[in-house]
Amino acid sequence: MPEQKEMETGKEGLVSKPHEAPVINEYADAQLHNLVRRMRQRTILYKKKLVEGDISSPEASPQTAKPTAVPSTQESSAKLKEEHYYHILCFKFQKMPLTEYLKQIRLPRSIDSYTDRLYLLWLLLVTIAYNWNCWFIPLRLVFPYQTPDNTRYWFITDIICDIIYLCDMLLIQPRLQFIKGGNIIVDSNELKTHYRSSTKFQLDVASIMPFDVFYVFFGFNPIFRANRILKYTSFFEFNHHLESIMDKAYIYRVIRTTGYLLFTLHINACIYYWASDYEGIGSTKWVYDGEGNKYLRCYYWAVRTLITIGGLPEPQTSFEIVFQLVNFFSGVFVFSSLIGQMQDVIGAATANQSNFRNSMDHTISYMNTYSIPKSVQKRVRTWYEYTWDSQRMLDESDLISTLPVTMQLALTVDMNLSIISKVDLFKGCDTQMIYDMLLRLKSTVYLPGDFVCKKGEIGKEMYIIKQGEVQVLGGSDGAQVLVTLKAGAVFGEISLLAARGGNRRTANVIAHGFANLLTLDKKTLQEILVHYPDSEKLLMKKASVLLKKKAPGTEESPPRKGLAFLFQPKQKTPKMFKALLGGTGKAGLTRLLKMKREQTIQEKSENSKEGEGKGREYEDKGREPVEKTQYSSECRANTVTAEETPQSIRRAALPRGTTRQSLIISMAPSTEAGEEVLMIEVKEKAKQ
């Protein structure tokens, strides 16, 4: 015990103050030092494994550990983390290393020019640089707006535009994907080779040629930057991609055409100022007189000349006359071309509306020709107007039919698959059959109060409510609203698989407000099911179950009027007794008893001829023997026809009056599975 206390005391001293602990027992002190050293090594090892994510080995030799390396690594990583943070006011922000930032902004190996929106933004930047050169190079070349005082600003802007051109040619264009033999090429080497062999590369190289070096010899003249206008391919590519993603592309087309007109007037204004400067500012009445804003005055003259408004000063010299003639001819050609292009853009934008108006006008003319009632004409006009307002076209199928089948399927699946999947009749069917059915759906618009289907008519279509509501009418007068079906509901699906002769509608269905319904007729479904026999069997089973649920026996009885509600309704006759009672041409239970009586009378007459002694003995005994007759047949043939009855029996007369016979009817199982035997036993009562 004293030694243990000494060891514990030495351990506490070793942990708390290892350098000041007194040595009481050298052996215990050495063991404790060894134990502490091993525990430290183990702790360092597990820390290293946690950092590296390696937990495969729970134990390892302490000799393989490097206790000095791990703390140094942790300290260095901690220092790096500390360096990545910077303080602003009272907040601490993390600063991303430059290498990590460059990795995030690194360009992809290939770019899809049709789907990548970042590429579209880059084309916008290139287009801005291109328009800067197109508009300001002629302006700086002709008008005295570039002076030695502002030359550095023009020069800086030119350098920025050149950098954009250069980055587009070296970094972006060689990464654009292209299609070769139906395959999308994404290999970097092939992309570079394809770009370098294209005409676009040649134009890009010509547009970036550094003719600016001639500034050193001829001064800062913008004419040396005229080659920057050759990068027009990027401008038209941007227009094409922007139109493809816009909902109303015709708006941008109108704006672009207007821009072409303004640019043409801009060039004409620059040429007019050059001609005025050539003749001398203010030298004649035709040239620019040098008053007011130079650019606005020249632009105003260009508008009046190019649009041929007239009212301009007459040219004085031969140069002015030739210049004015050329300007008039070019103005007529350019202006008429732009006006024609504007008309095409607006006509294409309103083509659907024009088609709608033509169709409506022809229909109204037809109704007026045949003196259709005004109420019907009003409903036809209402249908046209609602159809146009709701879907901006008269028939959606005409638009979809121009697309490939795969595109048609993609559109119909997105619009109608969620509705079809709710129909219990089609659950579990082949997916491809559902897709084929979606392609055959037809859209129909019903006006308020229109009958979708009427009670008693043969059902040949299934209806899916795409938009609006319909009401199911019933009751004694047929005007009671039983249920209101909203968008997504399905009705009439049983009619698609009804037996020959059709399934009659059991209620009236009318449109409550404007309703857009998708219809599928029976003939179309049968054409589809020819290719899917398994789905056809499944549909037939489901249809039989649904038809049993909607059988006439399950229908509600008509309402009881007057004092009839005081009495209980009459119970239905069991099916077994209906079979025995029989119908026309069949022998029922009454005929069976008649046959038995005739047979008994015939047997008695024969016995009386043979001898009267036996008859008396029977009379003395006071009762007659029990006669038993069994008639057996299957459930489906449990009656005997009149033709099968012997001639002798049919001629026998049936005595009238009371009878002392009793009838016992019972059912016994047959040897054949699923069948029973009908047992009928006739007994005569004992005489009293």
Side-chain angles (χ1 to χ4, degrees):
M1 294 296 291
E3 293 180 356
Q4 185 176 1
K5 290 181 180 180
E6 292 175 358
M7 291 174 64
E8 292 177 357
T9 304
K11 183 177 180 180
E12 292 177 0
L14 182 62
V15 174
S16 59
K17 297 180 180 180
H19 300 287
E20 300 178 0
V23 179
I24 300 174
N25 191 329
E26 294 181 356
Y27 177 78
D29 185 74
Q31 293 294 329
L32 288 175
H33 276 284
N34 186 23
L35 180 62
V36 171
R37 186 179 70 256
R38 294 176 61 185
M39 293 295 292
R40 287 179 177 175
Q41 292 176 353
R42 182 171 179 174
T43 303
I44 293 172
L45 178 63
Y46 276 100
K47 284 183 178 180
K48 181 180 179 180
K49 289 187 176 183
L50 288 175
V51 172
E52 297 176 355
D54 183 12
I55 56 173
S56 60
S57 177
E59 294 290 342
S61 175
Q63 298 179 358
T64 59
K66 297 180 180 179
T68 57
V70 175
S72 61
T73 306
Q74 293 179 351
E75 290 177 0
S76 60
S77 62
K79 288 181 180 179
L80 288 175
K81 291 181 179 180
E82 288 292 337
E83 293 177 357
H84 296 164
Y85 287 90
Y86 58 94
H87 297 271
I88 296 180
L89 297 178
C90 299
F91 300 96
K92 188 177 183 181
F93 297 93
Q94 185 178 7
K95 183 179 180 181
M96 184 180 297
L98 181 60
T99 55
E100 296 293 333
Y101 183 75
L102 292 177
K103 288 181 180 179
Q104 290 187 0
I105 65 173
R106 184 175 57 183
L107 294 174
R109 293 183 177 273
S110 62
I111 300 174
D112 187 0
S113 59
Y114 295 97
T115 59
D116 196 343
R117 296 298 177 87
L118 294 177
Y119 176 68
L120 183 61
L121 293 177
W122 173 257
L123 283 180
L124 174 61
L125 185 62
V126 176
T127 302
I128 293 174
Y130 174 76
N131 280 277
W132 171 271
N133 292 321
C134 287
W135 285 77
F136 285 98
I137 288 177
L139 182 70
R140 293 157 56 188
L141 181 63
V142 176
F143 288 92
Y145 288 139
Q146 180 176 308
T147 61
D149 297 334
N150 57 14
T151 302
R152 59 180 180 274
Y153 302 111
W154 294 105
F155 187 71
I156 293 173
T157 309
D158 292 342
I159 290 177
I160 294 175
C161 294
D162 293 344
I163 291 174
I164 294 174
Y165 277 29
L166 193 62
C167 291
D168 182 67
M169 186 183 68
L170 298 179
L171 301 178
I172 304 300
Q173 296 300 326
R175 301 174 187 269
L176 294 182
Q177 300 175 2
F178 68 96
I179 299 176
K180 182 179 179 181
N183 298 323
I184 301 176
I185 306 301
V186 296
D187 184 67
S188 300
N189 296 328
E190 293 190 20
L191 295 179
K192 293 177 182 178
T193 304
H194 177 264
Y195 172 65
R196 291 170 183 172
S197 61
S198 63
T199 307
K200 186 177 182 181
F201 174 73
Q202 298 175 2
L203 293 174
D204 290 346
V205 172
S207 64
I208 203 64
M209 291 295 291
F211 293 113
D212 307 67
V213 295
F214 291 105
Y215 288 167
V216 179
F217 305 101
F218 302 99
F220 194 72
N221 193 344
I223 191 63
F224 299 116
R225 293 185 55 81
N227 61 323
R228 303 297 189 271
I229 303 177
L230 296 176
K231 199 174 176 61
Y232 60 87
T233 55
S234 298
F235 171 74
F236 289 109
E237 184 180 2
F238 170 75
N239 292 330
H240 174 69
H241 289 313
L242 185 60
E243 290 178 6
S244 63
I245 65 172
M246 293 183 67
D247 295 333
K248 297 181 179 180
Y250 65 90
I251 296 178
Y252 177 74
R253 295 190 187 106
V254 171
I255 296 174
R256 185 185 61 192
T257 306
T258 305
Y260 291 159
L261 177 60
L262 296 177
F263 180 73
T264 305
L265 296 174
H266 169 75
I267 297 298
N268 195 19
C270 294
I271 295 175
Y272 173 69
Y273 185 84
W274 171 80
S276 300
D277 186 49
Y278 177 79
E279 286 287 316
I281 302 297
S283 60
T284 62
K285 294 181 180 180
W286 182 83
V287 299
Y288 170 60
D289 56 2
E291 297 179 359
N293 188 287
K294 302 179 181 61
Y295 181 76
L296 289 180
R297 290 297 184 91
C298 294
Y299 201 90
Y300 174 75
W301 182 91
V303 170
R304 298 187 64 178
T305 305
L306 199 64
I307 304 179
T308 64
I309 296 177
L312 297 172
E314 293 294 331
Q316 303 296 326
T317 63
S318 300
F319 174 80
E320 294 175 357
I321 294 174
V322 173
F323 182 88
Q324 189 68 11
L325 289 175
V326 173
N327 204 9
F328 276 141
F329 282 118
S330 61
V332 171
F333 175 75
V334 172
F335 188 72
S336 60
S337 301
L338 293 175
I339 293 300
Q341 186 177 359
M342 187 76 72
Q343 183 180 0
D344 294 339
V345 171
I346 298 176
T350 59
N352 289 335
Q353 188 173 5
S354 300
N355 184 26
F356 158 72
R357 292 297 178 188
N358 292 333
S359 178
M360 186 174 180
D361 293 342
H362 292 328
T363 305
I364 293 175
S365 176
Y366 172 83
M367 291 188 295
N368 291 332
T369 302
Y370 290 93
S371 301
I372 305 298
K374 295 296 182 182
S375 58
V376 178
Q377 294 188 22
K378 183 179 179 181
R379 294 182 64 84
V380 171
R381 289 192 183 95
T382 305
W383 181 86
Y384 269 104
E385 292 175 358
Y386 173 77
T387 304
W388 172 254
D389 293 338
S390 61
Q391 57 190 21
R392 292 294 172 182
M393 62 185 68
L394 294 179
D395 192 0
E396 295 179 351
S397 59
D398 293 340
L399 177 63
I400 298 178
S401 60
T402 58
L403 299 175
V405 178
T406 55
M407 297 294 103
Q408 295 181 26
L409 182 60
L411 293 176
T412 53
V413 166
D414 184 67
M415 293 187 296
N416 303 324
L417 181 61
S418 59
I419 301 176
I420 290 294
S421 60
K422 298 178 182 178
V423 184
D424 295 335
L425 186 64
F426 300 120
K427 289 183 178 179
C429 294
D430 193 289
T431 305
Q432 190 60 41
M433 190 213 76
I434 301 295
Y435 291 163
D436 292 346
M437 190 171 60
L438 289 175
L439 294 173
R440 304 291 189 91
L441 292 176
K442 297 181 180 179
S443 177
T444 307
V445 176
Y446 291 87
L447 301 182
D450 283 353
F451 278 89
V452 180
C453 57
K454 295 184 178 181
K455 183 178 180 180
E457 69 179 8
I458 303 299
K460 299 179 181 179
E461 302 91 5
M462 177 191 74
Y463 299 94
I464 303 171
I465 304 176
K466 183 179 180 181
Q467 186 179 4
E469 298 178 354
V470 298
Q471 291 180 342
V472 181
L473 304 182
S476 58
D477 56 352
Q480 181 182 359
V481 179
L482 302 180
V483 66
T484 300
L485 303 178
K486 299 183 179 181
V490 181
F491 61 95
E493 65 273 17
I494 303 301
S495 303
L496 297 179
L497 297 172
R500 185 175 299 175
N503 180 34
R504 294 187 179 273
R505 306 291 189 185
T506 58
N508 294 329
V509 180
I510 65 171
H512 180 60
F514 293 94
N516 191 349
L517 306 183
L518 299 174
T519 60
L520 178 68
D521 55 43
K522 186 175 182 178
K523 181 180 178 181
T524 302
L525 181 62
Q526 290 176 351
E527 293 176 356
I528 296 174
L529 291 179
V530 171
H531 307 285
Y532 305 96
D534 295 337
S535 298
E536 183 179 8
K537 294 179 182 178
L538 180 61
L539 289 178
M540 295 304 295
K541 290 181 181 179
K542 290 185 176 182
S544 61
V545 174
L546 294 175
L547 287 173
K548 288 180 181 178
K549 291 181 180 179
K550 296 186 177 182
T554 61
E555 297 180 357
E556 296 183 358
S557 59
R560 308 172 68 194
K561 300 180 179 180
L563 299 177
F565 70 91
L566 297 176
F567 304 96
Q568 295 293 334
K570 180 181 178 181
Q571 299 292 335
K572 295 183 179 181
T573 307
K575 293 182 180 180
M576 181 176 179
F577 281 95
K578 284 184 179 180
L580 291 175
L581 292 175
T584 305
K586 294 184 179 181
L589 181 60
T590 305
R591 184 166 295 180
L592 190 63
L593 294 175
K594 179 179 178 180
M595 292 168 56
K596 180 60 181 175
R597 290 171 185 171
E598 291 176 351
Q599 184 179 6
T600 304
I601 293 171
Q602 186 178 5
E603 289 178 356
K604 286 183 179 181
S605 61
E606 292 177 356
N607 293 335
S608 61
K609 292 179 181 179
E610 292 178 359
E612 297 180 355
K614 294 182 180 180
R616 293 177 180 177
E617 292 179 0
Y618 288 126
E619 291 178 358
D620 295 339
K621 291 181 180 179
R623 64 177 183 179
E624 295 182 6
V626 178
E627 299 178 358
K628 183 184 296 185
T629 307
Q630 297 182 354
Y631 299 90
S632 63
S633 64
E634 298 180 358
C635 294
R636 61 177 180 271
N638 54 3
T639 58
V640 182
T641 60
E643 289 78 7
E644 296 175 354
T645 308
Q647 188 71 18
S648 61
I649 296 178
R650 285 186 295 181
R651 290 181 179 179
L654 179 64
R656 297 179 180 273
T658 60
T659 178
R660 296 188 302 165
Q661 295 177 341
S662 61
L663 182 65
I664 301 175
I665 302 175
S666 62
M667 299 293 294
S670 175
T671 56
E672 298 182 6
E675 297 183 355
E676 294 181 347
V677 178
L678 176 65
M679 305 288 294
I680 302 176
E681 184 176 355
V682 181
K683 290 186 179 181
E684 292 195 6
K685 299 180 181 178
K687 296 181 179 180
Q688 297 180 354

